[in-house]
């Protein structure tokens, strides 16, 4: 089992791609699950506890900059891919991103089938429920009820828009800047931006919620 | 069996060199968290002790260095994954050949899955045994 075997076929964009490393990890997970050593749900729960500890979480810094810099916010809404690259974040996962902004009038929420191109370097670890097709379709049909499941209650006059990720377009929700965050540095602001707030199943934290 | 964050924290303390911050382990990519969680789970199942794991991992790192691994820190979880594969084979859970077969099946699954769709493994992704 060489570490140095590179996986250089199927760069055809009609197909999904998994790196050699991802193939090895998936192979092990499948084997251990089939042999009864691993319960996939328990494994997901454990991994979920590291939600804030996986990857660079570039999206949080993008959102913090958009909150602080109106010109950047404008560029992000016009062309998120370019605006994200502006901060030095690029790569296969960062491509083709559209930013949608939450306002008092509209709340945006994103669902995704978790294809191999999930933009984890921007959004972080995807939520476990993305794997559940019934849950995703329920989100599309009754987003307000699903938000309530996540403990998020929005005013009745806030419209909810659900965006379904595709191979071509991934979404980044710009959550509303929380009250009480005036005057915070971009670095401090980024701490308020949770994964859930960037996919619209949560709100950004209040400064008092973050130690 | 309960594998919780506390068990994982114990692992982080027991295994030297694990990338971490003040709270515990940190991961550069999602697959690293999966590889870590699998080891924590197998440890909880009693497949190995942490000292045993640490020794196997150290051996894996030494062998990689002999092959010219740059040892820049970002390869830690590659060694972790290789250790996991070796442990799974040595403990008789699944041979290296079986692991290769599953790997090839996932590769096949990715190949037939259109871009943008979730990749799921099906029985017909496997080469006939």
């Amino acid at each position: 089992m060489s570490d140095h075997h590179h996986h250089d076929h199927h760069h055809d964009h009609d197909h999904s791609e998994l790196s050699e490393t991802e193939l090895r990890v998936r192979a092990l997970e499948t084997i251990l699950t089939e042999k009864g050593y691993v319960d996939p749900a328990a494994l997901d729960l454990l991994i979920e506890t590291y939600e804030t500890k996986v990857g660079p979480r570039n999206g949080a810094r993008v959102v913090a900059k958009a909150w602080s810099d109106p010109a950047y916010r404008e560029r992000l809404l016009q062309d998120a891919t370019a605006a994200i690259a502006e901060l030095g974040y690029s790569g296969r996962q960062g491509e083709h991103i559209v930013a949608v902004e939450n306002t008092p009038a509209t709340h945006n929420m994103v669902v995704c089938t978790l294809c191999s191109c999930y933009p984890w370097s921007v959004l972080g670890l995807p939520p476990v429920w993305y794997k559940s097709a019934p849950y995703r379709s329920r989100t599309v049909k009754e987003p307000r009820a699903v938000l309530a499941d996540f403990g998020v209650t929005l005013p009745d006059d806030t419209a909810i828009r659900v965006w379904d990720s595709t191979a071509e377009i991934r979404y980044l929700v710009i959550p509303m800047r929380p009250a009480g965050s005036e005057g915070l540095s971009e670095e401090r602001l980024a701490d308020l931006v949770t994964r859930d707030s960037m996919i619209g199943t949560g709100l950004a934290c209040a400064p008092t919620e973050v130690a | 069996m309960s594998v919780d964050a506390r068990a994982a924290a114990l692992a982080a303390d027991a295994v030297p060199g694990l990338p971490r911050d003040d709270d515990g382990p940190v991961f550069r990519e999602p697959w690293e968290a999966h590889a870590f969680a699998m080891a924590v789970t197998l440890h909880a199942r009693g497949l190995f002790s942490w000292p045993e794991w640490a020794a196997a991992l150290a051996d894996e790192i030494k062998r990689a260095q002999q092959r010219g691994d740059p040892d820049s820190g970002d390869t830690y979880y590659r060694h972790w994954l290789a250790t996991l594969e070796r442990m799974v084979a040595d403990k008789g859970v699944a041979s290296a050949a079986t692991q290769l077969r599953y790997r090839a099946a996932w590769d096949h699954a990715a190949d037939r899955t259109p871009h943008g769709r979730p990749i799921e493994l099906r029985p017909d992704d496997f080469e006939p045994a």
Side-chain angles (χ1 to χ4, degrees):
Chain A
M1 286 176 213
S2 163
D3 274 343
H4 297 290
H5 173 84
H6 287 289
H7 198 66
D8 50 12
H9 56 283
H10 51 73
H11 278 296
D12 187 334
H13 286 288
D14 292 343
H15 302 276
S16 300
E17 261 184 80
L18 290 174
S19 70
E20 185 67 16
T21 304
E22 288 167 322
L23 291 173
R24 289 164 62 189
V25 170
R26 287 194 189 219
L28 275 178
E29 275 188 22
T30 308
I31 290 169
L32 294 174
T33 300
E34 286 180 3
K35 302 252 178 193
Y37 282 90
V38 160
D39 168 8
L43 198 69
D44 280 342
L45 269 180
L46 178 59
I47 292 166
E48 182 86 355
T49 62
Y50 295 104
E51 181 208 313
T52 64
K53 303 294 184 183
V54 177
R57 302 180 68 249
N58 294 334
R61 279 177 283 264
V62 168
V63 169
K65 188 162 182 64
W67 283 344
S68 318
D69 178 346
Y72 183 78
R73 170 185 161 273
E74 207 54 48
R75 292 200 295 282
L76 184 63
L77 290 170
Q78 290 295 322
D79 182 349
T81 307
I84 291 169
E86 225 182 276
L87 300 188
Y89 310 144
S90 59
R92 142 174 106 94
Q93 281 100 351
E95 284 163 10
H96 311 300
I97 290 195
V98 169
V100 290
E101 186 180 44
N102 286 349
T103 64
T106 309
H107 180 91
N108 296 283
M109 205 171 158
V110 181
V111 293
C112 176
T113 57
L114 288 185
C115 68
S116 59
C117 50
Y118 186 82
W120 57 264
S121 63
V122 175
L123 298 180
L125 204 61
V128 169
W129 64 268
Y130 269 178
K131 287 185 191 167
S132 156
Y135 214 85
R136 285 199 313 272
S137 58
R138 195 179 148 229
T139 303
V140 175
K141 280 189 235 122
E142 38 175 12
R144 204 171 284 274
V146 170
L147 278 177
D149 286 355
F150 291 123
V152 177
T153 315
L154 296 170
D156 286 341
D157 57 352
T158 300
I160 301 176
R161 277 196 81 167
V162 177
W163 303 85
D164 202 345
S165 308
T166 66
E168 283 73 39
I169 305 177
R170 276 55 67 75
Y171 297 93
L172 164 68
V173 174
I174 309 173
M176 285 202 285
R177 182 170 175 160
S181 66
E182 299 78 12
L184 293 185
S185 67
E186 276 181 34
E187 197 179 327
R188 292 283 314 283
L189 287 173
D191 291 339
L192 308 179
V193 184
T194 61
R195 185 276 308 279
D196 286 351
S197 74
M198 292 188 286
I199 62 173
T201 59
L203 308 177
C205 297
T208 48
E209 291 175 84
V210 178
Chain B
M1 180 190 68
S2 155
V3 180
D4 55 13
R6 208 165 49 83
L10 288 176
D13 291 337
V15 182
L18 197 95
R20 57 180 300 160
D21 63 12
D22 292 344
D23 304 326
V26 295
F27 307 97
R28 289 164 55 252
E29 300 190 20
W31 72 263
E32 297 183 348
H34 283 255
F36 175 75
M38 279 192 277
V40 169
T41 306
L42 291 180
H43 171 266
R45 289 289 305 260
L47 203 68
F48 48 77
S49 69
W50 285 128
E52 189 183 0
W53 173 267
L57 177 62
D59 183 52
E60 193 61 48
I61 291 172
K62 200 175 84 194
R63 293 200 298 172
Q65 284 167 344
Q66 282 162 358
R67 287 195 306 265
D69 181 81
D71 195 22
S72 47
D74 58 358
T75 52
Y76 185 85
Y77 273 103
R78 297 187 66 88
H79 306 317
W80 184 280
L81 177 59
T83 305
L84 199 54
E85 289 171 337
R86 211 144 56 95
M87 203 63 104
V88 162
D90 289 351
K91 299 286 180 179
V93 177
S95 67
T98 299
Q99 296 180 38
L100 279 174
R101 193 166 160 267
Y102 275 74
R103 205 190 291 183
W106 271 108
D107 201 12
H108 185 268
D111 253 346
R112 64 160 172 78
T113 303
H115 197 55
R117 302 285 295 279
I119 306 168
E120 278 151 10
L121 197 62
R122 291 195 312 229
D124 58 2
D125 289 317
F126 287 89
E127 292 281 330

